[in-house]
Amino acid sequence: MEKEEIGIKVTLIGESSVGKTSIINRYTKESFSQELDSTLGANYSQKKITRHGKKIRLDLWDTAGQEKYRAIGRHFYKESYIVCLVYDITNNDSFEKIKSIWYPDLKEYGEKLKIVALVGNKLDKYLEEEVKEDDARKFADEIKAIYKRTSAMEGTNIEDLFNTLADKYLTEISGMIIEDDKIKIKKGDTKEKKKGCC
């Protein structure tokens, strides 16, 4: 019997022009454009993948970075299992606002939040980097977030980011242990997880 598809809601938040839309477009359409309008409110995309024999539908929400739309964004990450905090590695202010605005806001309103990723985008412009990688990694460790540096323009680490998030989700909901791309089930965990479901 074919197993059911797992739906995972993923929301990307952060300042305007850090590349949230570009990350999603690169991942879902394998495309990149320098000429993108700022997101107004939120945009939805979807991608279906298979990880370790599990069919997964990623419901991707791209939220606006402008302050006037922040309340709208809260509606989306409030019910997300995964939230990506995206900053521009060439713009230190975008990183500082992750720490001072976006993450505190996420902690307050992300009721169902389970998995957080800190994503430093625009790695293709590493020669203009303002945010030290050590500082970003330290913050990611502090908030227990997955840390990735990406380039939507070149596609660097984009697929790896979402595969890592999907794998983390699978280990969280089913008690799976993924080692060397193989699945092991934690003894005694599976039945407990199933009983508590739904």
Side-chain angles (χ1 to χ4, degrees), residues 28-138:
T28 59
K29 303 173 185 175
E30 297 184 3
S31 68
F32 177 84
S33 173
Q34 296 276 16
E35 307 298 323
L36 285 176
D37 294 329
S38 294
T39 301
L40 303 178
N43 291 327
Y44 172 75
S45 299
Q46 184 185 100
K47 175 128 180 180
K48 295 184 179 184
I49 62 174
T50 300
R51 297 293 295 167
H52 314 289
K54 303 286 185 181
K55 292 186 176 182
I56 296 170
R57 185 192 72 250
L58 294 173
D59 296 316
L60 304 163
W61 287 97
D62 168 23
T63 62
Q66 300 98 319
E67 186 175 355
K68 63 182 177 179
Y69 293 116
R70 197 162 292 152
I72 297 173
R74 287 170 184 159
H75 170 75
F76 293 97
Y77 61 73
K78 180 179 181 179
E79 297 179 350
S80 292
Y81 201 97
I82 298 172
V83 175
C84 296
L85 298 160
V86 185
Y87 69 94
D88 174 353
I89 69 166
T90 72
N91 182 343
N92 191 62
D93 185 60
S94 71
F95 176 63
E96 291 301 322
K97 285 184 176 174
I98 289 291
K99 296 194 291 183
S100 65
I101 296 173
W102 292 101
Y103 181 66
D105 204 55
L106 179 58
K107 280 190 71 177
E108 183 173 356
Y109 294 98
E111 293 178 357
K112 295 184 179 179
L113 182 65
K114 300 294 182 183
I115 299 169
V116 178
L118 179 64
V119 183
N121 192 39
K122 303 190 182 181
L123 187 56
D124 50 283
K125 297 182 178 180
Y126 69 94
L127 293 177
E128 302 169 39
E129 187 171 14
E130 290 184 1
V131 183
K132 293 181 180 178
E133 186 176 4
D134 287 347
D135 291 342
R137 285 188 181 278
K138 182 180 178 182

Side-chain angles (χ1 to χ4, degrees), residues 6-47:
I6 300 170
I8 309 174
K9 186 174 182 180
V10 183
T11 301
L12 279 67
I13 64 175
E15 292 295 290
S16 294
S17 302
V18 296
K20 300 184 297 293
T21 302
S22 295
I23 287 172
I24 290 177
N25 285 348
R26 171 60 72 183
Y27 183 57
T28 59
K29 303 173 185 175
E30 297 184 3
S31 68
F32 177 84
S33 173
Q34 296 276 16
E35 307 298 323
L36 285 176
D37 294 329
S38 294
T39 301
L40 303 178
N43 291 327
Y44 172 75
S45 299
Q46 184 185 100
K47 175 128 180 180

